[in-house]
Amino acid sequence: MRKLFHFNGGVHPPQHKVESVKDPIRKPPLPEKLVIPLHQHIGTAAKVAVMVGERVLKGQKIGEATGNVSSAIHAPTSGKVLEIGNFPVAHPSGLSELCVTIAPDGMDEAAPFSPVDPFSMDPAEIRKILRDSGVVGLGGAVFPSAIKLNPGREKQVRTLVLNGAECEPYITCDDLLMRERADEIVKGAQIMRHLLHAEEVIVGIEDNKPEAIAAMKQAAGDEIEVVAVPTLYPGGGAKQLIRVLTGIEVPAGERSTDLGVQCFNVATAYTVYRAIACGEPVTSRIVTVTGNVKNPGNYEALIGTPMDFLIGLSEPLEGSRGALMGGPMMGFDLPSVSVPVVKATNCIIVKSEKLFPAPPTPMPCIRCGRCAASCPADLQPQELYWFAKAGNFGKAQEYSLFDCIECGCCSYVCPSHIPLVQFYRYAKSEIWAQEREKKSSDIARVRHEFRIERTEREKREKAERLAQKAAQTRAQIKAEENS
Amino acid sequence: MSSPYLSQPSSVSMIMLKVLCAMIPAIAADAWFFGPAVLVTICLASITALCVEALMLQLRNRPVLPFLMDGSALLTAWLLALSIPPMGPWWMIVTGTAFAIAISKHLYGGLGNNPFNPAMVGYAVLIISFPVQMTQWLAPESVAQAHLGLGEVLDYMFFHILPQGMNLDAVTSATPLDTLKTQLHMERPIGEILSMPIYGAMGGKGGEWMAAAYLAGGLYLLQQRIITWQVPVAFLASIFAISGLFHLADSAHHAGPFFHLASGASMIGAFFILTDPVTGPTTPKGKLLFATGAGILTYLIRTYGNYPDGVAFATLLMNICVPLIDAYTQPPVFGKKK
């Protein structure tokens, strides 16, 4: 048995997971159109690689990765490119981004796939395939995996951690994936291990998913260790899971690889396997649709599927008003339910007044300290709140504001119902704005100083020239007088 | 609104209500051993506190009902009522409570913003202003020469009238702590003092049962996670340690540690006064420091000071240190531990 470690605090919100695990993963019918954003990952958006009117095949690249941090985008099915333009995407602000709209032709005709054997290939080649296959972290951060799978020359990655904790309430997409496709996840993990030269692979799964644990254990064999970790939110945060499994604490602003650990979501391992061993790029993902619906469940949804299409399949109940993307602790309110499913979409929760009642009016902080007791980053949320509220941002930074992972535990336990995380987000954005302002004012100051220097230099030079000229004239006059 | 979209079903009112409930056993013990006067004091203090709270909220343009319902004013009133002699004159109770709520709570910004424990400020004001009335404690009924019924208590508290031919001395006595101090000054041996009728098995007669009731209430609060263990444990342990040391060094002039734990406001202080979150530190280490300091100060004031007990002043003195304690006891954050 592996020795497990603790992190401070954590909470036990009601799980609401059983509702959506009754059925196996469902295959939804093809929607009428797919709207595929070209920016579904951290880094630079992909560059459009198709033209309006063009027929595309399933798995054909429609967006090319550009720049160091980027990932390709692919057509999820065969059809015609209807439009390329800006459409609202899944973002709390209702942001619009460049999307390729495809009308599926129903044939689902695939571009030829070319599987490779990863164990006899140059790792750099494999990473290029992953980048070109659009493999990104499916746990929510959507960071291009190829970059994380490059161990670098100096640092040794000892441990590869696969994250199957899925600690947020309501979400069950990783649970079902592990139950049904454990073999592929394990094979993906072996490829990742090969790329990183990792000594050990540990899969962490919260103990509220016994079926997934059993399936993974059976698939894992002896080389990969499957560990049941205690169910405690946010135990599925990468840093928290690394701490629980290895005892290592990754400080804010540092990379886990520097400490010899790399962490990936189980669904990412699955897509690594599909991309390398089957030659299939990422064109779909498992999405949990739950909340105020009659028929909650998990769908293997094509990227670009309008969310209201999936919600419709789950039959929303009366009193539905809007939806969340992600979990209720760290997810966000969708400005519109018609935005497309992207690689980051792990869960869609249909809201109702009953499931998510408006929070009571906040009362003053009574310094009870429950927030500090629940904080997995060992912060003092009551002090941060005080500083953020007072606009004392320097002090907030001194109290490690930027170590806050915005997990929401403090707000969850606050008996005064103070929206603490909002205060921290506000303080962070104010600090960023101040830094930007400082940077631009620094530039302006340098310019200004340069300008003053230049005008003075010009004045000086002009005076010197004049003086010279005058001296010359005087000398001339003197010469004339003398002659 | 942004995430999180869930919150635990708890509230400030719920916390205050549980603290009030935890005090009921001690109030019952008080009434059982010392008569019904304490109930009158609590009622009067509660009414005063709610009226002054409502008035102050109105003056400060704050919503009256939600803040009145938070229960904090009521808790201040109960703590003050249990800290002063149970049969004090009505105006003394009203003055103390009004000062606690209006001055030491609302003038500092109301709930959550007061640096000093309001009930203890109320107590300090009263003991400095009305030392005579504040030391007229009721004797345990089993010891007193006479008993007062509810009507007679009301007569005395509101009109200063005692039943015909009765002397106040017949129903009052100095507290066990006070008696010990004055008798020691008169060079009486400690064994003889502690065998006086007002003393019980560990502390004062009746008073030791109230201490037990506060302990029970405090354990309930711990179990409910309203309070954490640091403050009560550090406070009681430091009183135990320092009184034990003095007792070992000179047992002829210093009562033992158990006497100090069972007497005066040790137990109510440990579980109900020093645990006030608003005026105490928030870090675990800070709580230990704060309560240890309060325990030592309590003992020193009790033993060498002029006041009958030291908990109130010890609390206020340690309240001053809270910002400093908090600033210097910040726990290391995740990933930055040594």
Side-chain angles (χ1 to χ4, degrees), chain B residues 18-77:
Chain B
K18 282 182 178 170
V19 180
L20 289 173
C21 286
M23 291 168 80
I24 289 174
I27 295 169
D30 201 342
W32 176 266
F33 288 104
F34 299 91
V38 63
L39 303 177
V40 180
T41 305
I42 287 178
C43 285
L44 188 55
S46 301
I47 294 168
T48 311
L50 292 177
C51 292
V52 176
E53 176 95 346
L55 180 73
M56 291 306 290
L57 288 167
Q58 192 79 52
L59 286 175
R60 294 178 55 226
N61 283 324
R62 295 293 189 283
V64 174
L65 206 60
F67 279 103
L68 217 50
M69 295 298 288
D70 71 28
S72 61
L74 220 48
L75 183 55
T76 299

Side-chain angles (χ1 to χ4, degrees), chain B residues 237-247 295-297 299-300:
Chain B
S238 64
I239 288 187
F240 187 88
I242 190 170
S243 58
L245 276 179
F246 275 82
H247 182 65
I296 293 168
L297 282 175
Y299 182 81
L300 293 179

Side-chain angles (χ1 to χ4, degrees), chain B residues 85 92 127 130-138 172-175 178 306-308:
Chain B
M92 186 177 87
I127 197 145
F130 315 112
V132 175
Q133 288 84 350
M134 280 293 281
T135 40
Q136 283 168 351
W137 288 78
L138 284 175
T172 63
S173 84
T175 64
D178 224 5
N306 283 327
Y307 293 110

Side-chain angles (χ1 to χ4, degrees), chain B residues 87 147-157 161-163 166:
Chain B
M87 207 176 61
H147 298 173
L148 296 178
L150 186 61
E152 292 156 330
V153 165
L154 289 172
D155 271 347
Y156 181 77
M157 288 174 72
I161 301 168
L162 276 175
M166 190 192 279

